[in-house]
Amino acid sequence: TTRLVGSEMCIRDRVQIDIQREIIERLKEKNITLQEIAQQISTQDRKISPETLSKKLASGKIRFKDAQIILDILGYKINL
């Protein structure tokens, strides 16, 4: 198991918040609902409800893979 020190946790949290904001902005920009995103994710590799997706976005606890899938659906790529 690995542990994060304070500065690493701050960086991780800031990146999660930035990704969360980016997803929300892109959803609004493209006029796509969480229901539509959840349906597309569910057809790809796993099941997720719009409610669960909403909670993850609101809490900033969305998995990186989920963020990648959502942004891919919206036509954006995350470059690392």
Side-chain angles (χ1 to χ4, degrees), residues 23 27 33-59 61-71 73:
I23 289 170
L27 287 169
T33 66
L34 288 179
Q35 177 74 32
E36 293 168 304
I37 293 293
Q39 287 173 342
Q40 290 188 41
I41 290 174
S42 294
T43 61
Q44 288 188 18
D45 66 343
R46 64 186 189 84
K47 300 281 185 213
I48 189 166
S49 71
E51 295 79 17
T52 299
L53 196 52
S54 178
K55 286 178 186 174
K56 288 182 177 207
L57 284 170
S59 70
K61 305 251 185 216
I62 191 159
R63 292 179 7 195
F64 184 75
K65 178 151 178 73
D66 289 337
Q68 283 182 304
I69 291 169
I70 292 167
L71 290 172
I73 290 168

